[in-house]
Amino acid sequence: MRFKAFVKKTILLPVYDYYKYMDKIWVGMLISGLIALVLTLIVILSRDKIYLPKLFQSFIDIQINSIAILLSFSIAVITVLVTSDSNNIIQLRKENVDTNKSKRNDIEITLFNLLMINILTIN
C-alpha cells in the first residue's frame, strides 16, 4: 500500500500536472512515439541489411551541417537588423514596450530590444 502511495505522489502527480497545464502536448508526444516506434521496427526488421554505425554517423553529420546552416542564417538576420537604418527600424528603436514587465534594471525596453531578445532566445 505504501508503494502505491509513493508512486502516486512522486511519479504520477507531477506527470498529471505537466499534462494538465500543457495544451495538446499529447498529440506531439503521440506523433513522436509513433515515429520512434516505426523507425525501431525498421531497424530491427532490417538488421542484416543496414550497417548501423555508418547510418548513425551519416545522421550525425547531417545534423551538424543543419545546425551550422541555421546558425549562420541566425547570425545573418541579427547582423541585418543591427546594421539597418531603415525608417521601420528607427521607429522600433524609439517605441517603448507598453507592458508592466518592460523595465529591466530601470532601463526601458524598446520594441527593437524586444525583437532582438525574441530572435536571440528562439535561436
Side-chain angles (χ1 to χ4, degrees):
M1 207 54 166
R2 283 189 234 163
F3 179 73
K4 202 178 217 182
F6 173 76
V7 168
K8 198 179 235 184
K9 286 183 181 177
T10 59
I11 296 173
L12 297 179
L13 187 62
V15 170
Y16 173 75
D17 285 341
Y18 179 75
Y19 288 117
K20 180 180 169 186
Y21 294 113
M22 298 302 288
D23 291 336
K24 296 183 181 178
I25 191 77
W26 61 272
V27 175
M29 291 187 67
L30 182 67
I31 292 171
S32 300
L34 287 175
I35 291 172
L37 182 66
V38 167
L39 289 176
T40 302
L41 288 175
I42 289 172
V43 168
I44 288 173
L45 294 176
S46 62
R47 201 176 334 169
D48 299 332
K49 299 174 187 171
I50 299 174
Y51 185 62
L52 290 179
K54 186 177 180 182
L55 178 71
F56 287 130
Q57 186 60 43
S58 66
F59 179 74
I60 291 170
D61 291 340
I62 291 170
Q63 293 301 315
I64 290 172
N65 290 336
S66 301
I67 290 172
I69 290 170
L70 289 173
L71 186 63
S72 64
F73 277 120
S74 301
I75 291 171
V77 166
I78 292 168
T79 304
V80 167
L81 282 175
V82 169
T83 59
S84 176
D85 284 336
S86 71
N87 292 334
N88 293 332
I89 299 296
I90 292 171
Q91 188 65 29
L92 282 177
R93 288 182 178 161
K94 291 179 183 176
E95 288 286 326
N96 287 335
V97 178
D98 294 332
T99 64
N100 55 0
K101 295 180 181 180
S102 64
K103 278 196 168 185
R104 299 284 186 241
N105 297 330
D106 295 328
I107 299 172
E108 287 286 330
I109 295 179
T110 63
L111 288 175
F112 180 77
N113 290 346
L114 186 64
L115 177 68
M116 293 301 290
I117 289 168
N118 287 336
I119 289 173
L120 291 174
T121 55
I122 289 172
N123 294 327

